[in-house]
Amino acid sequence: MSAFRLPGDVGTIRYHDLPGSSPTLVFLHGLGAASSAAFPRIVRDPRLSAHRALLVDLLGFGYSDRPATWSYTLEAHARTVEALLDALGTRGCVLVGHSMGGSIAILLAWTRPDLVRSLVVAEGNLDPGPGTVSGPVAAQSEARYISRGHADLVAAVDRQGFADYAGTLRAADPRAMYRSAVSLIAPREPSLRDRLYGLPMPRSYLFGARSLPDPDTGELAAHGVPVGIVPDAGHDMMGDNPDGFVEALAEAMSEA
């Protein structure tokens, strides 16, 4: 695992840097997850393993630092990834974001299109409003979530049988979870959806088949964003069907 000390002494962001050829694949995880847990199997698949891959744990999650006074907004997360890619001299990457990571990827591609050759968003949040995890988290006060809510969420996820997600939730900083969730569901101008539609590089959007039907399958395609479907998978498509996720990602890269 590699480490990068962010400018301004914000903290250290940690990531796997797996060697390979260009373009570099950059993976960003969802709320309460970690790229170090979600994507290793994906990037070692023969269909992707020839590429260099960066598996980034965002601040507050996975192995990265947990600065107590940091904002944890999506925009701030995007700036940390931007700083990392600049420090590594990485340009023209394939940026892959799942869930919250997809929203962060849209913001990064919007502000620094020179860094992104193509964008793949896997069920990323496009519109403001509460999601399955972000809504209940953000509905609490920060103090309440830190003192009780986070432990309650971990226990509930564990009871529901999502052992992998429960594990990364345990590793997540409660303050990071709360502030990231609040930012994730907040309105923006332009919206994440409008930014996605307005990006200059090739873009794709992936759904797990169990998340369908969804009106966005037609809406996205109508705005020039090809849609891929991962069979036998829900929102956690990398865990539910890693082979199907790799196939959909490889197809998106080929089309781009």
Side-chain angles (χ1 to χ4, degrees):
M1 176 162 279
S2 301
F4 171 62
R5 190 71 181 174
L6 290 159
D9 203 32
V10 170
T12 296
I13 196 167
R14 294 179 175 84
Y15 59 99
H16 289 298
D17 188 346
L18 305 177
S21 62
S22 296
T24 299
L25 312 182
V26 180
F27 292 87
L28 305 180
H29 61 83
L31 181 67
S35 294
S36 57
F39 295 111
R41 180 175 176 181
I42 302 302
V43 298
R44 298 330 297 164
D45 187 282
R47 289 165 286 186
L48 301 177
S49 59
H51 293 279
R52 182 188 184 191
L54 302 177
L55 281 57
V56 182
D57 284 353
L58 300 166
L59 280 181
F61 302 95
Y63 290 99
S64 290
D65 283 0
R66 308 172 168 204
T69 59
W70 202 59
S71 68
Y72 295 100
T73 64
L74 301 196
E75 288 78 6
H77 281 304
R79 288 192 293 271
T80 66
V81 182
E82 175 185 349
L84 173 63
L85 297 182
D86 278 339
L88 295 175
T90 302
R91 295 289 184 276
C93 70
V94 177
L95 187 57
V96 183
H98 175 247
S99 198
M100 180 183 77
S103 303
I104 293 168
I106 293 169
L107 291 172
L108 177 58
W110 178 263
T111 57
R112 289 292 305 275
D114 60 302
L115 297 177
V116 183
R117 169 178 173 168
S118 63
L119 174 67
V120 181
V121 178
E123 292 198 13
N125 301 61
L126 300 179
D127 303 306
T132 303
V133 175
S134 57
V137 171
Q140 305 172 53
S141 69
E142 180 170 321
R144 199 272 178 195
Y145 183 76
I146 291 172
S147 66
R148 294 180 51 196
H150 189 70
D152 290 345
L153 176 61
V154 172
V157 169
D158 215 2
R159 284 195 303 272
Q160 292 165 13
F162 301 112
D164 52 347
Y165 188 42
T168 56
L169 273 174
R170 285 191 181 94
D173 178 61
R175 183 177 288 103
M177 275 289 297
Y178 181 80
R179 294 180 183 176
S180 296
V182 169
S183 179
L184 181 61
I185 68 176
R188 287 174 170 80
E189 185 59 41
S191 69
L192 290 169
R193 178 182 294 275
D194 287 341
R195 294 187 211 208
L196 177 64
Y197 293 162
L199 288 171
M201 73 285 297
R203 301 135 295 152
S204 299
Y205 194 99
L206 304 183
F207 286 97
R210 295 176 199 152
S211 299
L212 302 177
D214 190 301
D216 268 339
T217 53
E219 179 74 13
L220 289 161
H223 284 83
V225 181
V227 171
I229 309 297
V230 180
D232 301 318
H235 186 66
D236 180 22
M237 56 192 83
M238 300 88 62
D240 292 339
N241 185 358
D243 289 341
F245 181 80
V246 169
E247 182 66 29
L249 176 54
E251 183 176 347
M253 291 171 58
S254 175
E255 291 177 355

